[in-house]
Amino acid sequence: MADAVVNFLVENLLQLLSENVKLIAGAKGELENLLEEVQRLKSFLDDAAKYQSEGSQWKLLEEKIQRTVHRAEDAIDKFLVQAKMHQDKNRVARSFDVGHLATVRNLAAEIEAIYEMVKELRQNNETFLPRPVLDLTKKGAQEAAQGPSLEDDEVVGFDEEANKVIKRLVEGPGESLDIVPVVGMPGLGKTTLARKIYNDPQLSYEFFNVLWVYVGQSYKIKDIFLNILKFFTKRTEDYRHEEVDALAKVICGYIDKGGRCLIVLDDVWAAEVTDAVKKVFPLNKKKHRIMITTVDKYLASYTNPDPHDLKFLTQAESSELLVKRIFGRGSCPDDLVELGESIARKCGGVPLALVVIAGALRGRSNKNDWLRVERNVVQHLFTNSQESCFKLVEMSYDRLPQEVQTCFLYCGVFPRGFDIPSWKLIRLWIAEGLIKPQQNYTLEEIAEFYLNDLVNRNLVILQQKRSDGQIKTCRIHDMLHEFCIKEASNKWLFQEICPTPSHVIPSIQNQDACRRLCIQPSILHDFLSGKPFAEHVRSFYCFSSKQKQTELSPNDIKLIHKAFPLIRVLEVESIKFLFSKDFNQLFHLRYIAISGEFKALPPTFGKFWNLQTLILNTSTSEPTLDIKADIWNMLQLRHLHTNIPAKLPSPAITTGKASFLQTLSLVAPESCKKDVLAKACHLRKLNIRGQMAAFLDTQKGGINNLEELKCLEHLKLLNDVIYMNQALHLPAAFFRIVRTLKRLTLANTRFAWSEANRLGQLESLEVLKLKEDAFIGDSWQPEVGGFSQLQVLWIEKAAELETWEASNLNFPILRHLVLISCDKLQAVPRGLADIPNLKEMRLENTSKAVKSAKDILESKTSKSSKFNLTVFPPEH
């Protein structure tokens, strides 16, 4: 983790030297020397990262580096606050400040001393690199890495899963070789399911040969082939000196002599394994099969576009497995049943977690013992079983690139069971400096790639998808969350402030290790009552899974501002927030998420020159939020989110640097003036809500000003309806004004369906959402040749729509169709069945069109096309 800390210091120093030259006059040379030395240290750490970081010597070195870097950060950040305050004061008084000169000299001296420390650290350790990754090919290490498995008679909840996989193995598509991947998170029972299938008598009947090969992370293709060969001959020693290709031919000869062959590859981590094993099968029509187990969705989808995703156990299955593992063939005592169900629920449907917890309870029938476990289920998973849960998660964690490891551990700042909005997680990763810049990609794109990687490795659970298939919300399983908490604490990534016994005031235990602080709303008042002063803390998080806000006194709120003078990340949406004089001096803030009864964003926000993301949720009764701060001079600001439309100020001058704003959500239509959008020319996402009639007027409205936004990809136009019979008109030149759009959402605009064809001219449009009478009229007949790139079409509450005619000529690559509360719609166009890409259709409260949707399902199924139809409410 030292590398992440050093990277952040390098970024800080570069920014300081390029953007704050006037503020650091007098210490510039010392800071340049420090930057040069820190970059050398970074190169050393990059070299070290190529090896496994193990051993007490390496851990001690990491801690020294982090302490030294933290000291440099503190010195620079404190000076910048003082320099900024001096600059503001001097701008008003225009006086010569001798005290500030002394401050600059003190900084120069301190930086010089830190420079020498960093230099000494690097020079004293240049010959030291952590030892290389251990070779885990020994049998004992392999067996340990596999973790505990369930005996056949203790398998619970896998009957239906096993039958599905067996059917695919036995029947399957075509007569050629097919691969059936079983994929799921660590501990979900992939190996257990595979072993159950392997031992099923039906496979012995269907297949001439059924082989089991454990692969693991430290595999060698030659060893895998030799293990396969053992099944056919005992004289494997004769082949140990053969090349891999020669071994493949030998195995192929043996398989060719018999009937169908199934090879089960357990715990696969790389595509080259399946690519290699495919070569041992002869090219005949005997329907040979390979089954693999893996945690990696990328790998599973590479081997087969339709992998078998292993489900979590249900509550009933979890309780059954727990009881079976504790009491064997006996039953659970009546006084323990309720506790047992609670314990099973807290294991989150993961069989390994249930097995480990059962081990802690086996032989114990005392109710107090069960109560202790029930209160701390997740902690027991790691304290009672270092060789199972922890090791199993660690195997997946160790394979992550170093920067993705940090991003994964960081997910632990959210509470257990918290549904994490992907956009918020990405913004926080960036604000924390965890995302390194890469050429040709924005920081947001890199972060989204990392998140997808974690989901595909089954370390993060996908909760909700957006309509375009991207991640909307995600979460961390409790078992993985505990791993994140423990590992992050060991690596000084963040500290969790928890309730303390005997009502002791919760406090920060290790100031060296605590740069990021997470706290539960329920103990925030107690924590603040100790009047903490923690200038070393850079991030403060107070999340709540409940919708209700925590109310603190004005004095408590002021204590937050005073406690963390050098804070960068403030995530406190769960409390009712107030501004104060001390808050205005938190110049280092990069990320702010606050809630309160705000009527305006005060001018003082313009002082936050480092701010990247601002999230404001207001409970005011006012229809708009007045932005009084000069956001156009906040050159780091990338994302502005408000829950009511914001009224933006006009830029003070039209010249100067363009804003780097990428997101404006929400804004009032009257704010979309030419000078405003010209300044915000890098916008990618714009959500506008208000009375749209004037805005859509091409003669004098703001719609034409959208031409200034050459990078705009996402647009929402949400009309506040005043008169229900008022119909608006979609400008004929709309496609020319917003030609770069990929996603468009319209609501309450009440355009005529005949005008919808103008949207078909948007050549890049991929997602179109039409909500709450976006279009009115009883019929839609789209023109041929439009919507050439549209993949998702969402129509919701189209109250008047009765008939709709469409086919593959109108939506050639449509993939996903959603129809919600279209009460009068008689039918889904049957011509949509001819769209090859159409894979998914969802109908909610659109009962008249259900029969036609089922006709499309039948047509798709008859063509062996994968197609998913969801109807709600379900028909009985």
Side-chain angles (χ1 to χ4, degrees):
M1 209 56 63
D3 66 304
V5 177
V6 172
N7 284 334
F8 206 90
L9 179 59
V10 168
E11 182 190 331
N12 258 6
L13 286 168
L14 285 169
Q15 184 182 338
L16 180 67
L17 290 166
S18 62
E19 297 175 14
N20 298 287
V21 176
K22 291 180 181 177
L23 290 179
I24 60 168
K28 187 169 182 285
E30 287 80 0
L31 286 164
E32 285 174 339
N33 288 340
L34 177 61
L35 173 62
E36 194 176 322
E37 192 55 48
V38 169
Q39 285 177 322
R40 290 195 193 101
L41 180 63
K42 181 180 179 300
S43 297
F44 164 73
L45 288 172
D46 287 344
D47 288 340
K50 296 170 187 173
Y51 299 89
Q52 186 84 3
S53 304
E54 293 184 5
S56 57
Q57 187 183 1
W58 174 250
K59 185 171 174 59
L60 192 63
L61 176 59
E62 276 198 312
E63 289 180 1
K64 281 182 181 177
I65 291 171
Q66 286 183 230
R67 279 197 187 94
T68 307
V69 169
H70 287 163
R71 183 179 163 187
E73 266 190 347
D74 291 346
I76 293 165
D77 286 354
K78 278 189 282 187
F79 168 76
L80 278 177
V81 171
Q82 292 171 335
K84 191 72 176 169
M85 290 169 68
H86 164 74
Q87 186 186 59
D88 292 346
K89 177 184 171 185
N90 198 44
R91 192 177 288 131
V92 176
R94 297 192 177 280
S95 58
F96 183 73
D97 191 342
V98 176
H100 180 64
L101 285 178
T103 303
V104 175
R105 288 196 201 99
N106 290 338
L107 172 71
E110 189 168 4
I111 293 300
E112 181 66 30
I114 294 170
Y115 162 74
E116 293 297 336
M117 289 174 64
V118 174
K119 187 176 179 181
E120 185 180 344
L121 253 178
R122 181 183 58 79
Q123 289 177 343
N124 289 348
N125 294 282
E126 266 184 338
T127 57
F128 167 71
L129 280 177
R131 64 189 176 201
V133 179
L134 295 174
D135 183 5
L136 296 177
T137 55
K138 295 179 182 176
K139 183 181 176 184
Q142 283 191 358
E143 289 173 353
Q146 291 181 70
S149 61
L150 308 180
E151 285 74 23
D152 294 336
D153 61 345
E154 293 168 329
V155 174
V156 170
F158 282 161
D159 288 344
E160 184 181 345
E161 300 278 310
N163 289 336
K164 286 179 182 177
V165 176
I166 289 171
K167 185 177 181 181
R168 290 183 62 174
L169 291 171
V170 172
E171 298 175 7
E175 297 180 334
S176 56
L177 173 67
D178 189 36
I179 301 176
V180 179
V182 175
V183 62
M185 69 167 273
L188 203 52
K190 298 178 294 296
T191 298
T192 303
L193 174 64
R195 184 67 71 176
K196 177 181 174 66
I197 293 166
Y198 173 76
N199 290 325
D200 193 284
Q202 185 181 352
L203 291 190
S204 300
Y205 176 78
E206 296 285 349
F207 290 91
F208 187 77
N209 293 314
V210 181
L211 292 69
W212 179 281
V213 180
Y214 173 72
V215 180
Q217 291 187 11
S218 304
Y219 69 88
K220 291 179 181 175
I221 298 297
K222 187 171 183 176
D223 290 340
I224 292 172
F225 282 3
L226 288 170
N227 283 329
I228 293 172
L229 198 56
K230 282 178 187 175
F231 184 86
F232 298 105
T233 176
K234 293 180 180 179
R235 298 175 56 186
T236 54
E237 289 298 323
D238 296 348
Y239 299 95
R240 288 211 169 268
H241 301 294
E242 295 283 355
E243 295 295 326
V244 167
D245 290 342
L247 285 172
K249 287 180 181 178
V250 172
I251 297 169
C252 185
Y254 278 111
I255 293 176
D256 202 23
K257 293 175 185 176
R260 292 182 77 186
C261 179
L262 166 65
I263 297 179
V264 182
L265 300 173
D266 182 37
D267 196 24
V268 179
W269 295 82
E272 74 161 344
V273 173
T274 52
D275 287 344
V277 174
K278 282 195 289 187
K279 295 176 182 176
V280 309
F281 286 92
L283 296 174
N284 55 33
K285 296 182 178 181
K286 292 183 179 179
K287 294 187 177 181
H288 300 300
R289 298 288 183 260
I290 299 172
M291 180 171 76
I292 71 167
T293 67
T294 182
V295 297
D296 192 331
K297 287 185 181 178
Y298 278 134
L299 171 59
S301 298
Y302 169 79
T303 60
N304 189 318
D306 185 23
H308 181 85
D309 283 296
L310 189 55
K311 68 177 181 67
F312 291 91
L313 296 182
T314 65
Q315 173 63 35
E317 291 166 346
S318 297
S319 297
E320 182 186 347
L321 178 58
L322 187 71
V323 169
K324 191 172 279 191
R325 289 291 300 198
I326 297 172
F327 300 105
R329 298 181 185 278
S331 59
C332 180
D334 291 344
D335 62 327
L336 298 179
V337 168
E338 193 173 332
L339 273 174
E341 288 176 350
S342 177
I343 290 168
R345 188 179 306 109
K346 291 182 178 182
C347 288
V350 175
L352 178 61
L354 290 155
V355 170
V356 171
I357 290 297
L361 292 171
R362 193 178 294 122
R364 298 184 182 186
S365 55
N366 185 298
K367 192 170 183 178
N368 288 331
D369 290 339
W370 282 54
L371 270 170
R372 274 193 293 273
V373 172
E374 193 269 342
R375 289 188 192 118
N376 299 288
V377 166
V378 181
Q379 286 86 339
H380 273 80
L381 291 178
F382 293 99
T383 55
N384 283 292
S385 190
Q386 281 295 311
E387 290 304 316
S388 56
C389 290
F390 190 91
K391 288 292 181 188
L392 205 62
V393 178
E394 193 175 44
M395 285 169 65
S396 290
Y397 170 77
D398 284 344
R399 287 186 67 87
L400 295 173
Q402 201 162 37
E403 57 270 26
V404 184
Q405 283 185 350
T406 310
C407 291
F408 171 59
L409 296 183
Y410 181 86
C411 295
V413 302
F414 294 91
R416 285 190 185 91
F418 191 87
D419 281 358
I420 308 168
S422 63
W423 66 268
K424 183 180 280 281
L425 179 60
I426 285 168
R427 306 280 191 270
L428 284 167
W429 280 348
I430 293 169
E432 292 284 11
L434 305 183
I435 307 299
K436 295 179 188 175
Q438 293 180 25
Q439 205 168 8
N440 301 325
Y441 295 100
T442 66
L443 295 176
E444 287 78 8
E445 287 169 340
I446 299 164
E448 191 164 3
F449 174 79
Y450 287 173
L451 180 55
N452 277 294
D453 191 28
L454 289 171
V455 167
N456 280 300
R457 292 173 187 262
N458 275 295
L459 290 171
V460 170
I461 301 169
L462 172 63
Q463 284 293 98
Q464 286 181 292
K465 282 185 180 181
R466 297 202 304 251
S467 56
D468 61 356
Q470 295 301 309
I471 300 166
K472 185 175 182 180
T473 61
C474 58
R475 62 175 292 191
I476 303 288
H477 188 276
D478 287 358
M479 185 174 80
L480 302 183
H481 189 276
E482 185 66 15
F483 176 88
C484 290
I485 294 285
K486 288 182 178 293
E487 197 69 8
S489 179
N490 290 338
K491 294 181 178 294
W492 294 6
L493 187 61
F494 62 82
Q495 182 184 338
E496 186 181 30
I497 303 290
C498 301
T500 56
S502 308
H503 302 289
V504 176
I505 294 174
S507 60
I508 300 169
Q509 300 300 315
N510 183 352
Q511 294 202 354
D512 276 333
C514 181
R515 306 294 276 193
R516 300 176 181 90
L517 206 60
C518 316
I519 192 165
Q520 299 173 18
S522 59
I523 60 170
L524 182 56
H525 173 74
D526 292 340
F527 172 74
L528 294 171
S529 66
K531 295 185 177 178
F533 180 71
E535 66 178 9
H536 56 284
V537 171
R538 293 301 191 274
S539 304
F540 185 69
Y541 300 96
C542 187
F543 291 104
S544 174
S545 299
K546 302 172 184 175
Q547 294 298 319
K548 187 179 177 183
Q549 280 189 319
T550 301
E551 295 225 13
L552 295 177
S553 69
N555 284 336
D556 280 344
I557 298 291
K558 288 177 183 176
L559 286 172
I560 294 178
H561 306 163
K562 289 181 178 179
F564 314 117
L566 304 179
I567 196 166
R568 293 188 189 119
V569 172
L570 183 65
E571 171 57 79
V572 289
E573 281 187 275
S574 62
I575 66 176
K576 196 170 181 180
F577 200 78
L578 298 168
F579 300 130
S580 73
K581 182 182 177 182
D582 291 306
F583 177 75
N584 297 334
Q585 294 176 2
L586 302 178
F587 298 119
H588 291 290
L589 279 167
R590 292 175 166 223
Y591 175 104
I592 300 174
I594 51 178
S595 299
E597 201 170 337
F598 313 122
K599 293 182 179 179
L601 185 71
T604 49
F605 263 72
K607 295 181 179 181
F608 299 138
W609 78 82
N610 281 318
L611 193 62
Q612 297 173 350
T613 297
L614 175 57
I615 303 167
L616 282 172
N617 289 308
T618 177
S619 54
T620 182
S621 58
E622 298 292 327
T624 57
L625 181 73
D626 197 7
I627 306 294
K628 295 183 177 179
D630 185 5
I631 60 171
W632 310 116
N633 265 335
M634 299 168 67
L635 297 182
Q636 299 296 322
L637 188 62
R638 302 163 75 90
H639 308 283
L640 174 59
H641 296 262
T642 56
N643 65 326
I644 64 172
K647 290 179 72 173
L648 305 177
S650 289
I653 52 174
T654 55
T655 56
K657 290 184 179 179
S659 166
F660 280 96
L661 268 172
Q662 293 183 19
T663 305
L664 275 175
S665 174
L666 292 160
V667 296
E670 55 267 32
S671 289
C672 297
K673 301 171 185 173
K674 190 175 183 68
D675 59 343
V676 167
L677 297 186
K679 193 75 171 176
C681 59
H682 293 109
L683 271 182
R684 291 185 169 213
K685 182 175 182 178
L686 176 62
N687 295 349
I688 307 171
R689 193 179 85 195
Q691 295 172 27
M692 291 288 176
F695 174 77
L696 291 166
D697 185 345
T698 54
Q699 299 300 315
K700 54 185 178 180
I703 187 74
N704 291 325
N705 299 330
L706 296 182
E707 282 189 292
E708 301 289 339
L709 306 177
K710 307 299 183 187
C711 304
L712 189 65
E713 295 180 349
H714 298 187
L715 176 65
K716 286 186 181 181
L717 301 179
L718 314 175
N719 186 38
D720 285 344
V721 177
I722 303 177
Y723 308 108
M724 287 306 294
N725 61 351
Q726 180 189 29
L728 304 179
H729 294 284
L730 185 67
F734 185 75
F735 75 95
R736 178 179 54 78
I737 297 169
V738 288
R739 64 176 69 243
T740 57
L741 274 192
K742 291 183 178 179
R743 294 169 60 95
L744 175 63
T745 300
L746 304 174
N748 278 317
T749 46
R750 300 179 65 79
F751 300 134
W753 276 112
S754 58
E755 295 178 345
N757 295 326
R758 295 171 184 173
L759 301 180
Q761 298 175 63
L762 291 167
E763 295 176 353
S764 301
L765 190 65
E766 297 173 0
V767 177
L768 176 60
K769 293 188 176 184
L770 308 176
K771 298 185 174 184
E772 300 178 69
D773 284 329
F775 288 86
I776 56 174
D778 59 7
S779 177
W780 182 23
Q781 296 179 336
E783 294 175 354
V784 172
F787 299 106
S788 61
Q789 296 301 312
L790 194 70
Q791 298 179 38
V792 178
L793 177 59
W794 182 305
I795 305 176
E796 180 175 348
K797 294 184 179 178
E800 299 178 4
L801 184 62
E802 295 181 20
T803 60
W804 172 27
E805 297 176 15
S807 70
N808 60 332
L809 299 176
N810 310 109
F811 304 100
I813 64 169
L814 189 68
R815 178 178 52 80
H816 187 184
L817 174 65
V818 178
L819 299 170
I820 299 176
S821 299
C822 298
D823 305 332
K824 294 184 179 180
L825 183 65
Q826 299 298 315
V828 181
R830 286 177 171 78
L832 298 183
D834 297 326
I835 303 174
N837 283 23
L838 189 63
K839 304 294 183 188
E840 192 169 354
M841 188 185 299
R842 175 156 63 98
L843 273 67
E844 290 185 18
N845 300 312
T846 308
S847 55
K848 292 182 179 179
V850 169
K851 184 181 182 303
S852 58
K854 288 185 174 180
D855 290 343
I856 292 173
L857 171 64
E858 187 177 340
S859 174
K860 284 281 190 181
T861 307
S862 67
K863 298 173 186 174
S864 300
S865 298
K866 186 181 177 184
F867 184 77
N868 183 37
L869 172 64
T870 305
V871 176
F872 183 87
E875 293 183 309
H876 299 292

